[in-house]
Amino acid sequence: MILRVLLTPVLVAVTLSGCNSGGASVSGSGSESAASSSGTSSLWERVKSLGFETGKTYEMPALGLMADAFLADWNARDLPVDLGLILLQARDGRRPPMNQAIAALVEPTRKEYRETPPAARDKESPLDADHRLYTLPIVVAMQPRKGWEVYAIDDRVTDPRFDTPFFRAHRAPPRYDEELHLRYMEMLAASAIYTNTVFGLIDKELGTSRLADPDEAQRRVLAAFQAIPAATLKAALDDASRQVVGGSFSTDLTGSGNIHFTHSPAGDFVADPRGLTWTKAGGVWFGNGRISGQSINLRLASTASLSQRQAASGTQGTNADAKVEGSGSVGPGR
């Protein structure tokens, strides 16, 4: 990286000098004139082949690109969109915390992975069985949501002609599952904490690498995730669950349209169309573009693939603006 930073300005300077003076190019051939278009093209191709980078660098929000990678991987496997109630299904008369529910799925997932033809499973995802399983909390954390999925449920159908104060006063009370409500909040909170840890590890691996485009970013994100030992992922999820199982929950049911609750001492959690946002110590710690309290970007050479996806779908996956070095802030792909 240091070599790249030092050599790129030198190459650009030599190129400009050659064009102005009509001297030889840096291609190593004295027959190539820097004044000729073919010589300049040849030089450019050689520079690119050596890995030296020129031109604009797009700063894209890492949180959005990482979320896109995991959600795309999940969708490619044609799995259920909403995992919440699936993960919290009762087992032996009780609903275990999410980390225990996922631990119980390890062996069945490995068995299914072994029984799937290699070509088919590789086409679905580059991840192995354990890593596929430990994407579950990330999908829970990054999935857009609108409103509570568990609450005091009144599932009785009432004829409008009889929906009067008298009948409402004498109907049986609505069903409410307190354990489901509690486990649901634990699941969301633990997912946010776990995903923040995992995204921090991925960012540490990718560092300041300059990626080709959002498609390469997705591939590199999944490769970095695959490189994290499964034991580390399990430990991260267990630690996240320990932080929220127990303690004190307070639920906001004011009808704001979002899922909103607080946990003492873990913090404040909101789930909405942006996914989960975790606030603690007075600031956003995870979500809304932040990882561990910081706005972290990934560096891209192009946003073309993102623009193509937006044109095809009419949506913007990362729901955030990109920054371009030297030209302020612009939308992705502009």
Side-chain angles (χ1 to χ4, degrees):
M1 180 59 69
I2 294 174
L3 181 62
R4 177 184 303 168
V5 172
L6 291 176
L7 288 181
T8 299
V10 174
L11 285 167
V12 174
V14 173
T15 304
L16 294 176
S17 174
C19 290
N20 290 334
S21 64
S25 70
V26 197
S27 64
S29 171
S31 63
E32 289 185 348
S33 171
S36 68
S37 60
S38 61
T40 303
S41 175
S42 176
L43 169 65
W44 178 242
E45 292 301 323
R46 288 170 183 265
V47 167
K48 289 199 297 183
S49 70
L50 290 172
F52 300 121
E53 297 165 353
T54 60
K56 292 180 178 179
T57 294
Y58 295 82
E59 297 279 346
M60 296 291 295
L63 184 74
L65 290 172
M66 292 182 191
D68 279 350
F70 285 99
L71 292 174
D73 177 76
W74 188 258
N75 291 333
R77 288 185 267 153
D78 196 25
L79 295 170
V81 174
D82 190 355
L83 303 169
L85 302 181
I86 296 175
L87 284 175
L88 299 180
Q89 290 178 349
R91 295 175 176 83
D92 299 325
R94 62 180 291 271
R95 292 185 176 88
M98 181 179 62
N99 64 319
Q100 295 180 19
I102 288 179
L105 295 174
V106 170
E107 288 306 322
T109 302
R110 290 174 178 173
K111 181 175 184 293
E112 181 182 2
Y113 183 84
R114 290 192 299 267
E115 294 174 350
T116 303
R121 71 192 186 201
D122 292 344
K123 183 178 179 180
E124 288 179 345
S125 171
L127 303 176
D128 64 23
D130 286 9
H131 286 79
R132 292 184 186 199
L133 184 58
Y134 281 102
T135 63
L136 297 184
I138 298 173
V139 175
V140 168
M142 302 313 305
Q143 178 190 348
R145 298 181 185 277
K146 185 176 181 180
W148 287 87
E149 286 108 336
V150 289
Y151 49 89
I153 303 173
D154 188 348
D155 58 352
R156 297 156 300 167
V157 177
T158 303
D159 190 319
R161 295 173 300 174
F162 299 103
D163 190 16
T164 64
F166 174 82
F167 280 97
R168 286 196 294 270
H170 292 84
R171 284 184 302 190
R175 295 184 297 107
Y176 175 69
D177 190 330
E178 181 178 356
E179 184 189 51
L180 178 60
H181 190 174
L182 179 63
R183 291 285 180 253
Y184 187 79
M185 291 188 290
E186 289 175 354
M187 177 190 69
L188 294 181
S191 294
I193 297 171
Y194 166 84
T195 304
N196 180 71
T197 300
V198 172
F199 281 12
L201 293 173
I202 293 173
D203 175 66
K204 183 178 179 181
E205 175 65 25
L206 297 183
T208 57
S209 300
R210 188 168 184 257
L211 308 173
D213 54 31
D215 285 345
E216 187 195 356
Q218 287 193 4
R219 291 190 291 271
R220 292 284 298 276
V221 164
L222 293 178
F225 179 70
Q226 175 66 49
I228 301 172
T232 300
L233 298 174
K234 181 181 184 304
L237 183 58
D238 288 343
D239 179 68
S241 296
R242 278 194 296 269
Q243 293 187 48
V244 298
V245 173
S248 176
F249 280 100
S250 177
T251 305
D252 177 8
L253 293 175
T254 58
S256 63
N258 298 330
I259 300 173
H260 183 200
F261 60 90
T262 60
H263 178 274
S264 179
D268 183 275
F269 300 86
V270 173
D272 58 22
R274 299 169 299 175
L276 271 164
T277 302
W278 171 30
T279 302
K280 69 172 186 176
V284 175
W285 196 250
F286 175 78
N288 198 23
R290 292 180 174 269
I291 301 172
S292 295
Q294 302 179 59
S295 295
I296 298 175
N297 293 330
L298 293 180
R299 303 171 66 243
L300 306 181
S302 168
T303 60
S305 59
L306 178 64
S307 300
Q308 292 166 2
R309 288 203 299 273
Q310 288 177 219
S313 65
T315 61
Q316 179 174 311
T318 57
N319 193 28
D321 285 342
K323 294 179 182 178
V324 183
E325 290 180 358
S327 61
S329 177
V330 299
R334 293 184 188 172

